[in-house]
Amino acid sequence: MAAIIISQNTELTQRVIDTLKTCYDPEIPVDIWELGLIYEIIIDKENNLEMQMTLTSPSCPVAETLPPETEQKLREIEGIKSAKIIMTFEPSWGREMMSEVAQLELGFM
């Protein structure tokens, strides 16, 4: 499942994706973008960012730390006015949401 991206600013959107690729669940050696944990990215005309994401499970050990750390990194992107993460578990995450890069890295392909 690829993330839904709603943005007029392709350069800023790429910086957001590049930043997400620096965020890792410490138990899995693949970034949250390639894992398919990002469901939606919206950047409005004023460069306010709203992102919907999930975790590999609701009981994930980093549930309390990964979202706020990711949100802080997004706030620090030059050009982003504000950043807000909305957590969801619908649809629930599954291995099929991972990119081919992630599946190769984790030995699923």
Side-chain angles (χ1 to χ4, degrees), residues 27-62:
E27 296 182 326
I28 306 171
V30 176
D31 66 76
I32 64 174
W33 178 259
E34 298 295 343
L35 278 174
L37 299 181
I38 309 306
Y39 288 173
E40 185 176 69
I41 297 171
I42 300 171
I43 302 173
D44 69 16
K45 291 179 183 177
E46 286 80 39
N47 293 338
N48 297 297
L49 167 65
E50 188 173 287
M51 186 176 83
Q52 191 175 86
M53 72 175 285
T54 194
L55 299 170
T56 54
S57 78
S59 59
C60 180
V62 295

Side-chain angles (χ1 to χ4, degrees), residues 9-104:
N9 189 331
T10 55
E11 182 181 319
L12 189 55
T13 301
Q14 188 59 54
R15 279 188 269 163
V16 167
I17 293 168
D18 292 344
T19 298
L20 293 171
K21 289 182 176 191
T22 70
C23 302
Y24 289 82
D25 178 330
E27 296 182 326
I28 306 171
V30 176
D31 66 76
I32 64 174
W33 178 259
E34 298 295 343
L35 278 174
L37 299 181
I38 309 306
Y39 288 173
E40 185 176 69
I41 297 171
I42 300 171
I43 302 173
D44 69 16
K45 291 179 183 177
E46 286 80 39
N47 293 338
N48 297 297
L49 167 65
E50 188 173 287
M51 186 176 83
Q52 191 175 86
M53 72 175 285
T54 194
L55 299 170
T56 54
S57 78
S59 59
C60 180
V62 295
E64 298 295 319
T65 57
L66 184 60
E69 287 173 8
T70 301
E71 189 173 82
Q72 183 59 40
K73 282 187 172 186
L74 294 172
R75 282 191 188 113
E76 293 171 359
I77 297 171
E78 185 178 338
I80 291 291
K81 184 176 179 183
S82 69
K84 178 182 177 185
I85 291 180
I86 300 166
M87 293 299 300
T88 186
F89 293 99
E90 293 296 324
S92 58
W93 180 85
R95 279 187 1 197
E96 69 280 354
M97 294 175 166
M98 291 189 289
S99 70
E100 286 185 13
V101 169
Q103 291 181 41
L104 283 169

